[in-house]
Amino acid sequence: MEVLGNYWLRRILARIASTIAFEGQDTRTGMPVMVLKGAQGVPVAAEGVLPLLEETPEAWVLEWPIGAVPLSQYLGVADLERLEQWLRGMARILAALKAQGVSHAPIPELCLVKGKRVWLAGVGLKELSGEPEKALVALARALAGERYPEFGLKELLEGIEAGKEPLEVLFSEASPQVPGSPGPGDTAQDARPLEEPSARPEEEPIRPPSSGRKVLSVDPVPGMADDHGVSPKTSEASLSEGKTPSRPRVVRIEEPEEPSFAVVEPPRPRRRPLLLGLLGLLFLLGLALFFLRPPSSSPGGYVMEFRTDPPTERAEVFLLEVPEGSRMAPGQLLLTAPGRAEFDQKGVYRLRIRVAGRDPVDYLLEVPGPPLVIKVR
């Protein structure tokens, strides 16, 4: 367990030459931070880059988005669809940095992800200056693992690595053609139907709405008498003689969409008495459970477990500050770890941890929460 100023250094993320990246915690606010101890260079502020909270001669302190995790947790097991989204996001950030004259080669330990979002850390470090294209391709191979040959962006990444394609190709690809949309070769085919309506007969006039009964209408085919020069009497004579006319007659049966009679629906069964009875039973059951519940034996506390690493070490835990509403007295010895302690209220407690032969460390503990491990190094 190591403390740097107001920050508790919880664990080491990566070692890059003389720079050590820690996952830390602000002892004043309890918020997570990233501490780059021994950082050399000029920090860069840009979109998609972790903001700088504090710069000291010993380290850079960067903001850690709540819920974000290092990309190194997905080495070899990353989902290919989500990996494609992360790579496109990183390519957009790296291209913007390159346009500013900053060449950054990301590593998985200093890339944070949360859902589809991705952030780069340590932009401006001398140790991370390099070719972003090769670093991005190496990152994709490490995250995809054995499934890299089936990765959808494999060909684009190989072109970027070889210098044939720029980084922008990852986030500026043309959107695929929508299925069913006309292609370049369909222009001539689509132009033909536009000329067909001129050859079609004119639309028939709109008929008035029909009554409730079905209507049977027999209309001769238009143009039949004109084309053949035959009068209606002649056509009727040909039908009486058994001759087949040159064109058939058109028979239309029109039926209104709405029925001519009023639709009567059967009355719905009344369920109100049944619902009232059910609600009454539920109310009585709730009253019975309320009055028959066993009395609580104690006012209910929150038990937290304290562990030491290695387990043979002993650490004294003192209570310095308590949240509002707590009746616990500050200044008392809470327990000697390893062990368990009970807190009477939810909230953040300020503790002081003492280990023989080492400087005391103040820590903000949120109750309830996971077990606290005190590492003695």
Side-chain angles (χ1 to χ4, degrees):
M1 187 166 51
E2 187 176 353
V3 176
L4 181 63
N6 296 320
Y7 305 98
W8 177 39
L9 308 182
R10 300 179 61 182
R11 66 186 180 100
I12 297 177
L13 296 175
R15 296 179 184 269
I16 315 162
S18 60
T19 303
I20 305 177
F22 289 91
E23 177 186 353
Q25 183 181 17
D26 192 334
T27 58
R28 298 164 296 182
T29 62
M31 298 298 292
V33 294
M34 180 182 292
V35 180
L36 302 180
K37 188 175 180 181
Q40 299 293 329
V42 179
V44 177
E47 185 179 358
V49 177
L50 289 185
L52 180 69
L53 296 178
E54 183 179 352
E55 182 180 3
T56 65
E58 296 86 6
W60 297 355
V61 181
L62 309 178
E63 179 182 343
W64 187 302
I66 296 178
V69 296
L71 202 55
S72 56
Q73 295 188 7
Y74 298 95
L75 289 175
V77 295
D79 179 69
L80 296 185
E81 182 178 354
R82 185 58 58 87
L83 176 58
E84 181 176 343
Q85 298 171 352
W86 291 338
L87 291 178
R88 294 183 188 275
M90 282 191 287
R92 184 177 287 105
I93 300 173
L94 292 173
L97 292 173
K98 195 171 183 181
Q100 299 178 11
V102 180
S103 296
H104 179 71
I107 60 175
E109 292 81 5
L110 296 187
C111 296
L112 300 185
V113 292
K114 179 182 178 182
K116 298 179 181 180
R117 296 197 59 184
V118 60
W119 295 270
L120 302 183
V123 178
L125 282 176
K126 293 182 179 180
E127 292 85 351
L128 293 182
S129 61
E131 299 182 8
E133 295 83 1
K134 293 185 179 180
L136 190 64
V137 176
L139 192 64
R141 288 197 181 99
L143 292 171
E146 298 178 354
R147 295 173 298 166
Y148 182 73
E150 61 189 48
F151 188 35
L153 299 180
K154 176 177 176 291
E155 296 181 359
L156 286 179
L157 292 173
E158 291 177 352
I160 293 174
E161 185 179 21
K164 299 178 181 179
E165 299 287 350
L167 277 174
E168 289 77 5
V169 74
L170 284 177
F171 57 89
S172 62
E173 293 181 71
S175 59
Q177 187 175 355
V178 180
S181 60
D186 300 336
T187 307
Q189 298 179 2
D190 293 343
R192 295 172 188 169
L194 297 177
E195 302 174 357
E196 293 180 1
S198 60
R200 295 178 181 176
E202 298 182 357
E203 296 183 357
E204 298 180 0
I206 300 176
R207 297 179 179 272
S210 59
S211 60
R213 296 177 300 174
K214 295 183 180 180
V215 179
L216 175 63
S217 61
V218 180
D219 300 333
V221 177
M224 176 178 176
D226 298 338
D227 295 342
H228 299 277
V230 183
S231 63
K233 294 182 179 180
T234 307
S235 60
E236 291 176 1
S238 61
L239 287 174
S240 60
E241 295 177 1
K243 296 180 181 180
T244 305
S246 59
R247 292 187 183 181
R249 295 179 181 272
V250 179
V251 179
R252 295 183 179 87
I253 301 178
E254 298 179 358
E255 182 177 3
E257 297 179 357
E258 302 252 345
S260 58
F261 53 87
V263 178
V264 179
E265 296 182 357
R268 297 182 179 180
R270 295 183 179 180
R271 299 181 180 179
R272 182 173 296 179
L274 180 61
L275 291 177
L276 291 177
L278 182 59
L279 290 177
L281 289 177
L282 291 177
F283 179 73
L284 293 176
L285 180 61
L287 287 178
L289 293 177
F290 179 77
F291 288 107
L292 297 179
R293 64 178 181 177
S296 58
S297 58
S298 63
Y302 303 91
V303 179
M304 296 289 296
E305 183 178 357
F306 292 77
R307 304 173 184 174
T308 57
D309 183 13
T312 56
E313 294 290 341
R314 294 293 179 268
E316 294 181 345
V317 181
F318 293 88
L319 183 63
L320 297 184
E321 295 180 9
V322 298
E324 184 178 358
S326 175
R327 297 182 179 180
M328 301 181 69
Q332 63 174 329
L333 176 63
L334 196 60
L335 81 156
T336 301
R340 295 184 177 183
E342 184 176 356
F343 299 85
D344 60 347
Q345 291 289 339
K346 293 182 179 180
V348 178
Y349 293 78
R350 192 179 193 87
L351 308 178
R352 177 162 291 174
I353 303 172
R354 292 183 179 178
V355 179
R358 291 169 176 81
D359 294 335
V361 174
D362 292 351
Y363 178 70
L364 295 176
L365 178 67
E366 185 175 357
V367 176
L372 177 64
V373 181
I374 302 174
K375 297 183 179 180
V376 183
R377 296 290 183 265

